[in-house]
Amino acid sequence: MGSQGTAAAAAEAEAAGGGVVKAAYFDPTKPPTQTKRMIYRIYVACILLLEVKLVCKQRSRYEEYLESNSLLIHRLWMYDTMWPFILVHLLIDAFMLFHLNAIHPKWGVTKHPHLKEPVLRISEENSILIRHCLKMLIRFPPIGAPLVGAKIGYFHAFTCAQALSMSLSPTVFGTLLAVRSMRGLLIMCLCNVLFMVGLAVSLPFSHIVQTPFSPTWAARACWHHVVIGAPLAGLMPLITHVAQKNYPAVKAMVCATVWRVLSGVVALVLGGKKPSASSAPSAPSAPSAPS
């Protein structure tokens, strides 16, 4: 009787658009669509290329400093080739793509007894969350610096803008595509806050800031990480989720704001009157019923 009930529930869920009951299979989900899988591949390739370019730029920026402090580089071959750094990122991205069924049609999926179509071994949301947490971990300077050959205990620092760019991009991407449950959103919020607070705590001990005027810069940067970075990075998953759920209202609000800004600019440039609200673009009204 129980198996018949489970089969009926699974069939009902399948007819409603996918998934099976959690009692029958832990956190199940259908594989992403072909378009979504292509988006994941393109995103991973672009982010990996961007991270390598940023590391190369940062390395060239501190080239003179590193030459005068050669003891900072513990393994020169890691510093020159960067292949351990690239390999770790590739493994994390490959893990996500594998469990999103984005490498091979038969990889990352399994068959369920009550469904005709295969389901993912790890849900799409969990795959994104695992990647996000691991990426934030290796972007933490005391952990990431040894991957490019730095001596243990010697690492660089990030400004608040750099840290936000590293945390907000995967946050918005993951929230828009996969992370929808409150549990997933809170995990992403916590991960972002820990990342920003960790940067603030580790920043005074970074080797790069041991230059003239660095105590003042370090104190200001720590303050920015805690007061600006942590709240913004922590709230971004919830903000993105709410904006996505209320897309029509958000779109209308953005359009109205843009119209007010543009009309103000036109009035300022031309010296004329500001366009009235009645001239703003609006959606056509529905025809009235005949009396």
Side-chain angles (χ1 to χ4, degrees):
M1 185 68 181
S3 60
Q4 294 178 354
T6 304
E12 183 180 354
E14 176 74 9
V20 294
V21 291
K22 287 192 175 183
Y25 194 89
F26 178 73
D27 205 2
T29 178
K30 283 186 174 180
T33 62
Q34 184 63 35
T35 302
K36 209 171 184 182
R37 290 197 293 266
M38 183 58 64
I39 292 174
Y40 282 127
R41 297 186 192 110
I42 295 174
Y43 174 78
V44 164
C46 292
I47 293 300
L48 181 61
L49 180 62
L50 179 62
E51 285 177 319
V52 172
K53 291 292 185 181
L54 288 176
V55 171
C56 292
K57 182 179 179 180
Q58 195 169 26
R59 191 173 63 174
S60 62
R61 180 181 178 184
Y62 297 119
E63 195 70 38
E64 295 182 1
Y65 180 82
L66 292 173
E67 288 179 359
S68 59
N69 297 270
S70 57
L71 293 178
L72 294 179
I73 304 301
H74 186 55
R75 294 178 177 85
L76 189 60
W77 63 272
M78 294 175 63
Y79 177 77
D80 290 335
T81 62
M82 291 198 308
W83 74 261
F85 172 83
I86 297 174
L87 180 62
V88 171
H89 281 278
L90 281 176
L91 289 175
I92 295 174
D93 291 333
F95 172 87
M96 183 195 74
L97 293 177
F98 176 88
H99 287 96
L100 290 176
N101 192 226
I103 298 179
H104 190 275
K106 295 184 179 180
W107 292 358
V109 293
T110 185
K111 291 185 178 181
H112 189 271
H114 302 302
L115 293 176
K116 297 179 180 179
E117 300 295 329
V119 294
L120 295 174
R121 295 179 181 274
I122 299 179
S123 73
E124 188 177 356
E125 179 179 277
N126 286 344
S127 298
I128 294 294
L129 287 174
I130 292 172
R131 177 189 182 273
H132 182 77
C133 294
L134 291 177
K135 287 280 188 175
M136 292 295 102
L137 183 65
I138 63 174
R139 285 170 182 165
F140 186 51
I143 297 176
L147 293 176
V148 291
K151 190 176 180 180
I152 300 297
Y154 291 88
F155 51 89
H156 54 284
F158 291 122
T159 64
C160 184
Q162 291 173 330
L164 284 174
S165 67
M166 288 187 293
S167 60
L168 295 186
S169 170
T171 296
V172 174
F173 172 80
T175 306
L176 289 178
L177 288 181
V179 182
R180 305 290 168 79
S181 70
M182 185 55 63
R183 176 193 67 90
L185 293 171
L186 292 179
I187 290 176
M188 190 171 279
C189 292
L190 179 62
C191 179
N192 289 348
V193 171
L194 291 177
F195 176 70
M196 299 301 298
V197 173
L199 290 180
V201 172
S202 66
L203 192 146
F205 302 99
S206 62
H207 199 80
I208 292 298
V209 300
Q210 295 180 11
T211 55
F213 311 108
S214 64
T216 303
W217 179 86
R220 185 170 63 250
C222 290
W223 178 257
H224 289 167
H225 282 316
V226 174
V227 176
I228 300 175
L232 183 57
L235 292 175
M236 186 53 64
L238 300 176
I239 294 173
T240 307
H241 180 68
V242 171
Q244 184 183 31
K245 286 185 64 177
N246 301 276
Y247 175 72
V250 172
K251 182 179 179 181
M253 182 179 65
V254 171
C255 290
T257 304
V258 170
W259 171 256
R260 291 191 183 96
V261 172
L262 290 178
S263 62
V265 171
V266 170
L268 183 64
V269 172
L270 300 181
K273 291 185 177 181
K274 189 175 180 179
S276 60
S278 60
S279 60
S282 59
S285 58
S288 57
S291 56

